[in-house]
Amino acid sequence: MIDDLITAMGAEFVQLSLTPIVIGILAAIACALPGNFLLLRRQALIGDAISHVVLPGIVAAFLITGTISAVPMMLGAGAAAIVAVGMIEIIKRLGRVEPGAAMGLVFTTLFAAGVLFLEITDTSSVHIDVQHALLGNLESLIWFDAQGWGSLLDPVALSTLPPQLPRLAIVLVGIGLFILLFWKELKISTFDVSFAEAIGIRTKILSFALVVATAIAAVAAFDAVGSIIVIAMFVCPPASARLMTNQLGRQVGWSVVFATISAILGYVFAGYGPGWFGSPYAVSAAGMIASISGVILILTCLFGPQRKRTGQQAEA
Amino acid sequence: MSNAKLIAESGKILDVAAKDAPLTVRGLTVSYGNKPAVFSVDASIPAGSMTAIIGPNGAGKSTFLKGALGVVPRLSGEVRIFGKLFSETRDRVAYVPQRASVDWDFPARVIDVVLMGLYGSVGLFRLWRSRHREQAMECLERVGMADFADRQIGQLSGGQQQRVFLARALAQNAEFYLLDEPFAGVDAATERAIVTVLKDLKSEGRTVVCVHHDLSTVAEYFDRVLLINVRRIAEGPVETTFTAENLQETYGGRLATTHIDELHLA
């Protein structure tokens, strides 16, 4: 039994499973962190919207540069986001519709355009297609040159890590620092924006920075794990965490825990789960990670200590 | 007279009038969409006074406060707080928004909300420390909510939520307090507690302005009134300004005469 475990956690694990799991965890946490604030600001779907909008931008960047390197994809995604904001404003003014409707229209249209773009252009030479856009390619992000756990200390082997891993690590550190350094400002302006404005917090700049952080997380994670995880991780871990506690700091902590659990269990179940039921095929890790985060949300809805908070208002 | 000269002139007048006044407003206009919510309102709040802003629903009372503090953008108008721009005098002002304007399901305890009032003394990139907690507890003490410090804010009654908001304003230790409907939807005990705190603030020489709805308590709680219905109708001491004629003009004849008769008018 223990021998099995050692074998399971041995060189092959490091080579094939370690990097996808770590990338999954990094992507999940990078999305869950800003998701906490989006959720409390009733903007949870912004994460969803951004992950849709970036697709045509990424495809366009690929068509122009012919590569899927990070910088052009990020620029393309950013350009798409700006075009989307402009389109929303135009539709709001000319069509006189409410902002929600304008957003829904623009985001789905751009996503659909991105899918069409993918289909009619020749992207067969690279890992970019509709399947990839939705589910990413987590399973393929393996570490060829790893010989075992010792490779973690070997600079030569480390230099061959999938580039998504260091990229997501940097993004996660950046988002973590943003939230840590502006904790007071984010907390106060999320709870009471008028008060925040009156005490001198630049609430509009802060909101914009939060959306930018969300966009960066979405683009970085999208490349590695696809849009399904991105959408799920913006919403599910923070929503589950909210049901565990009534303090913002603890909520953010719980969301990190749930994001991590989703990534690990999702990857393991996707790889080994079907085998336990006698199926020789593995299922999509991204789909399974998103599903696990949904299961965690259901469990916290049923058993979370703060699940009954509505309707609990005391009368004086 | 050229436009520039006109602005320069009005600026001069403003400077003289605003020497010490906590709030001087000239020609304040705020608009949501195409319709002005507040149109060209002048006001001057003297130091140490307690002023009620009165007017019908949708008359722009809250918008006047928000426009004065720049919480909503101004279309036009000049505002001076203690004779200066608000950005220079922010730490001398405490603003209490309407209780219903925030989501009380937010994950925070009572003490967390009061700590927000100490934002200015915490410092950039730093977090609240134990001395801030002690200060916050003192403020909760003053509004009779010390026992609720660790309670989740969603579990409070409306009156308790309003007291927490007042405690947050007390934590700001300001000279000028602007409160948006502090008595809306609160129980009688809370109303008395809030009035006591506000009168204490006034007796300490601080200035208080409240958006107020209950005409029957104006004379009892306040010494000045500012009557607004999009435009300024009247402003001055309760004895001379809180009159039946002014009220009829403010409410556009929507106030029943029997109701006016019951008020303790000048």
Side-chain angles (χ1 to χ4, degrees), chain B residues 91-92 94 117 142 168-175 177 204 206:
Chain B
D91 53 345
R92 296 166 74 182
R142 284 179 71 181
R168 180 178 69 178
L170 292 175
Q172 291 179 266
N173 192 25
E175 294 162 56
Y177 285 81
E204 292 161 11
R206 304 178 207 248

Side-chain angles (χ1 to χ4, degrees), chain A residues 40-51:
Chain A
L40 293 170
R41 289 165 177 243
R42 306 263 185 268
Q43 295 178 333
L45 286 179
I46 283 205
D48 187 345
I50 287 173
S51 59

Side-chain angles (χ1 to χ4, degrees), chain B residues 197-236:
Chain B
V197 170
L198 295 182
K199 290 202 162 167
D200 285 348
L201 290 174
K202 177 182 148 68
S203 68
E204 292 161 11
R206 304 178 207 248
T207 311
V208 178
V209 171
C210 294
V211 171
H212 192 57
H213 255 306
D214 183 2
L215 295 176
S216 68
T217 53
V218 169
E220 189 187 336
Y221 296 168
F222 299 94
D223 52 27
R224 294 180 79 261
V225 288
L226 169 60
L227 300 170
I228 293 184
N229 190 349
V230 184
R231 296 164 182 269
R232 187 191 80 159
I233 307 298
E235 182 190 11

Side-chain angles (χ1 to χ4, degrees), chain A residues 148-195:
Chain A
W149 289 97
S151 299
L152 284 173
L153 300 171
D154 176 6
V156 180
L158 281 176
S159 67
T160 62
L161 274 172
Q164 285 87 349
L165 198 152
R167 196 185 303 153
L168 270 168
I170 291 167
V171 165
L172 180 57
V173 168
I175 289 173
L177 276 177
F178 166 65
I179 289 176
L180 206 62
L181 292 177
F182 294 100
W183 179 258
K184 293 192 303 293
E185 289 79 4
L186 282 166
K187 180 176 182 175
I188 295 174
S189 65
T190 301
F191 171 61
D192 188 345
V193 69
S194 300
F195 176 79

Side-chain angles (χ1 to χ4, degrees), chain B residues 28-93:
Chain B
L28 177 67
T29 301
V30 180
S31 160
Y32 301 124
N34 297 326
K35 207 175 157 221
V38 168
F39 186 74
S40 193
V41 168
D42 295 351
S44 181
I45 306 288
S49 66
M50 213 164 146
T51 304
I53 302 180
I54 295 167
N57 287 331
K61 306 182 294 293
S62 300
T63 307
F64 171 77
L65 281 194
K66 288 182 187 167
L69 297 181
V71 172
V72 295
R74 295 192 278 267
L75 212 59
S76 64
E78 275 190 86
V79 175
R80 292 290 180 277
I81 296 197
F82 296 109
K84 295 186 177 131
L85 293 173
F86 183 43
S87 53
E88 299 168 72
T89 51
R90 230 179 256 287
D91 53 345
R92 296 166 74 182
V93 177

Side-chain angles (χ1 to χ4, degrees), chain A residues 40 42 181 183-185 188 190-192 195 197-200 242 246-248 251 309 312-314 316, chain B residues 86 90 95 97 102-103 105-109 116 119 123 125-128 152-153 155 157 165 168 172:
Chain A
L40 293 170
R42 306 263 185 268
L181 292 177
W183 179 258
K184 293 192 303 293
E185 289 79 4
I188 295 174
T190 301
F191 171 61
D192 188 345
F195 176 79
E197 191 72 40
I199 61 174
R242 178 64 190 91
N246 277 323
Q247 287 178 52
L248 183 60
Q251 179 190 316
R309 59 186 200 283
Q312 227 174 22
Q313 294 232 336
Chain B
F86 183 43
R90 230 179 256 287
Y95 167 58
V102 307
D103 174 14
D105 197 30
F106 187 84
R109 296 162 302 170
M116 293 177 187
Y119 172 77
F125 303 149
R126 304 199 60 176
L127 288 175
W128 293 278
Q152 146 70 13
I153 53 173
Q155 294 170 1
S157 70
F165 258 18
R168 180 178 69 178
Q172 291 179 266

